[in-house]
Amino acid sequence: MFGEDYACAVARIRVLETGLLNQAAIEQLLACQDEAQCLQLLTEKGWGNGDPAAGADAILSREREKIWEIMDSLVADRSVFSVLSYQDLFHNLKAAVKASILDGAAPNIFFGDCVIDGEDMVKFLKDKEYDRFPENMREAAREAYETFLHTRDGQLADIIVDRAALDAVKVAGESSKEEIIRQYAESTVAVADIRIAVRACKTGKSSDFMKKAMAECDTLDKERLLHAAVSGMDQIMSYLAETKYGDGAQALAESPSAFERWCDNQIIETIRPQLYNSFSLGPLVAYVLARENEIKTVRIILTGKRSGLPEEFIRERAREMYV
C-alpha cells in the first residue's frame, strides 16, 4: 500500500478514532467508586464482550485482540507493524530463558500473538536451536541463555535481551520508509536510555552496566547521558535540559511517577500529528499505539481502584490520551 492506497484504511481509522477514550472518559473512570463500577462503564463503552463480570484481565485482553483484528482487516501484510511487537516478543524471550532452566515456571508468562510462540522459544533454547529465532534475536537468545544457565543472574540476562530489543527497534526505524516508524523507533530508544540512566543513578549502577544496557540513538549523546548518570540526578536533569527531552528534567524534579508518565507520554506526542495525515501508514500505526496506551492507562486505573488507592494517587499515574 502506498500513498492514496491508504486513503480507505485511514478513513476507517478516522471513524474508529471517535471511539477512543478521551480525557473526559478517563475522568469518568477516575470518578468511579470501585473497580466494578469502572468495568461496568467500560462495558457500556463497548470494551470486552459486553460482560463486566468477565473481569479486568479478560476485558483488557479482548481489547488487545480487537486492535489486531482491525489491522488485519485493513492491511494485507501485518509485518508493516512488526516493530510495534518487539516489546512483547523480546519480553517473551526473557521469560523463555528463565522458564527453560528453572523448574515450575509461573503460568501465563508469555504474550500471545507474536511471531514466535513463547513455549516454542523455550524448546528452541533447551535444544540450543538459536537459528530458529529471527536474526535480530539469535545472539541475544544464545548469550542470555548461557549467562542465566551459568550464573542464575536474571537481571544480567534481562539486560542482554533488553539491549537487543532496543538495537532491533533502532535498526527497524533506520530501514523503514515510513516516517512514523522512524520517529517511533527514535523516541522508543531515547526514552529507554533515559529510563536506564535514571534507574542506574538511583541504584548506583556502574558505567559498564549502563554501556551494556543503553543503545545508540540520534537525539541523545549516549556518552554524555552515561557520565551524567554516574555524576548524579542533577547532572541527568542538566543534560536533558539541553536536549529535546527537557520536559523530562522537569518531570524528574517533580516525582518518580511524573517521570514515568512523561516517558510514556512521549510516544503520544510522537504520534499525535498523525491525526491530520491521510495518505500513509502513519494513522494506522498511531491508532495501534493509541489503543495500547489507553489499555495501559485503564489497567493503571483498575489496579488502583482494586487496591483502594486515592483518586489523586491514581490520577498522577494516568497517561495522556491521543484524542
Side-chain angles (χ1 to χ4, degrees), residues 211-253:
K211 283 181 182 178
K212 292 177 182 177
M214 289 181 184
E216 298 290 342
C217 67
D218 297 332
T219 51
L220 287 172
D221 184 325
K222 176 180 170 180
E223 288 300 318
R224 286 193 64 189
L225 180 60
L226 186 155
H227 288 306
V230 171
S231 300
M233 200 64 68
D234 288 344
Q235 291 303 310
I236 294 178
M237 289 188 284
S238 178
Y239 171 61
L240 290 181
E242 301 176 16
T243 71
K244 63 179 292 186
Y245 306 105
D247 288 347
Q250 298 176 22
L252 266 174

Side-chain angles (χ1 to χ4, degrees), residues 9-21 45-47 62-74 81 84 180-181 184 267-268 270-277 280-295 321-323:
V10 173
R12 173 65 175 149
I13 288 298
R14 295 296 179 236
V15 174
L16 292 170
E17 284 173 350
T18 63
L20 291 172
L21 299 183
K45 292 181 179 295
W47 281 51
R62 179 61 190 131
E63 288 308 298
R64 291 198 83 198
E65 291 171 357
K66 289 178 184 178
I67 297 172
W68 295 110
E69 288 171 3
I70 291 167
M71 291 304 125
D72 287 341
S73 73
L74 295 177
F81 301 106
L84 306 186
I180 184 65
I181 297 296
Y184 165 81
I267 293 299
I268 296 300
T270 296
I271 65 175
R272 185 163 281 126
Q274 299 305 319
L275 285 167
Y276 312 103
N277 183 357
S280 78
L281 179 68
L284 281 69
V285 172
Y287 181 80
V288 172
L289 294 171
R291 288 244 55 210
E292 292 283 4
N293 178 68
E294 68 177 13
I295 291 170
M321 294 295 100
Y322 180 54
V323 296

